[in-house]
Amino acid sequence: MKDFGRQWRRIMVKLSGEALMGTGSHGLDARTLETIAADLAEAARRGIETAVVVGGGNFFRGIAGAEKGIDRARADSIGMLATVMNALAIEYAIEKQGRPARALSAVPMPSICEPYSRQAALHHLGKGRVVVLAGGTGNPFFTTDTGAALRAAELSCDAILKATQVDGVYSADPKRDPNARRFDALTHDEAIVQNLAIMDTAAFAIARENRIPILVFSIKEPGAICAALDGLGKATLVLP
């Protein structure tokens, strides 16, 4: 696989809230948070402008809340607040690694973190700060996958790095189907034809329309983000 770090100068990392739990059932795992923050800081040190959209599933998932009787719009709002908690934790963890970072929220809460605007995010990226984007799109009924694709397009990112719990895109769920085949590379159109679950429909439509490559890899190992950028290890590249 290619050394993407040499050709991608601005990236969007999509990080799930669950990735921050470590082996726990919920919340934040300090060692996992430190490991991921070190990886993000290293990407920025290489001169790659690095933005991150983080989910909130380690604290609260809007869909799960709706299933428990909370109306979906309100449940999604609670989920957005969970992403802000994660963003603040990541911001601090990156700064502990000696790299400046800024948390920006699509849901304005200026006493806690900076409200999101395209101009502010581009300014911080240009200064070499890791930009951690919270609050999803700022609207209910949209996932943080959609938020990542939207911000990637808005900020003219060269690629979306989707950090997952599996090492790429498979023809079926590898946990359920031992015969599932992993793809090294495929196109957006091939992913649609084969109905591969890379991102949710709205997110994938934005990436496809804006011709943004998506690199899908596992976040489980230390240094996974930089390894993916270096073309090391297993990953799937989804190309326009």
Side-chain angles (χ1 to χ4, degrees), residues 166 170-181:
V166 293
Y170 284 78
S171 57
D173 185 345
K175 295 178 181 178
R176 298 182 179 180
D177 184 354
N179 297 315
R181 180 168 62 94

Side-chain angles (χ1 to χ4, degrees), residues 145-146 149 186-193 196-210 212 214 238-239:
D145 269 2
T146 300
L186 67 159
T187 67
H188 288 153
D189 289 341
E190 288 170 340
I192 291 172
V193 169
L196 301 175
I198 296 169
M199 304 178 89
D200 68 70
T201 304
F204 194 73
I206 293 171
R208 181 175 183 244
E209 181 179 344
N210 290 277
I212 304 173
I214 306 168
V238 187
L239 292 164

Side-chain angles (χ1 to χ4, degrees), residues 11 14 27 34 48 60 63 74 76-77 83 93 105-106 119 140 144 155 163 169 183 186 197 203 236 238:
I11 60 172
K14 169 55 175 67
E34 180 181 359
I48 300 172
F60 190 90
I63 292 176
R74 195 178 302 268
D76 280 353
S77 294
T83 71
S105 174
Q119 292 82 358
T144 49
L155 299 174
V169 178
F183 299 92
L186 67 159
T236 300
V238 187

Side-chain angles (χ1 to χ4, degrees), residues 37-53:
D39 206 7
L40 292 167
E42 177 58 27
R45 286 192 190 97
R46 296 181 178 193
I48 300 172
E49 295 182 2
T50 304
V52 186
V53 164

Side-chain angles (χ1 to χ4, degrees), residues 162-168 216-221 224-225 234-235:
K162 183 170 170 57
T164 71
Q165 300 300 306
V166 293
D167 57 0
V216 183
F217 64 101
S218 171
I219 194 65
K220 290 182 178 180
E221 298 297 324
I225 295 169
K234 292 182 179 180

Side-chain angles (χ1 to χ4, degrees), residues 111-193:
S111 63
I112 295 176
C113 61
E114 188 174 346
Y116 172 80
S117 73
R118 179 174 182 268
Q119 292 82 358
L122 289 173
H123 170 76
H124 292 310
L125 288 170
K127 293 291 185 180
R129 298 165 186 147
V130 178
V131 173
V132 189
L133 299 166
T137 67
N139 299 285
F141 301 102
F142 291 96
T143 68
T144 49
D145 269 2
T146 300
L150 175 64
R151 299 302 181 223
E154 198 173 17
L155 299 174
S156 302
C157 292
D158 296 316
I160 299 169
L161 274 66
K162 183 170 170 57
T164 71
Q165 300 300 306
V166 293
D167 57 0
V169 178
Y170 284 78
S171 57
D173 185 345
K175 295 178 181 178
R176 298 182 179 180
D177 184 354
N179 297 315
R181 180 168 62 94
R182 191 181 67 82
F183 299 92
D184 288 325
L186 67 159
T187 67
H188 288 153
D189 289 341
E190 288 170 340
I192 291 172
V193 169

Side-chain angles (χ1 to χ4, degrees), residues 74-94:
R74 195 178 302 268
D76 280 353
S77 294
I78 298 170
M80 290 180 216
L81 296 177
T83 71
V84 176
M85 292 192 288
N86 284 335
L88 292 173
I90 293 170
E91 176 191 48
Y92 178 64
I94 292 170

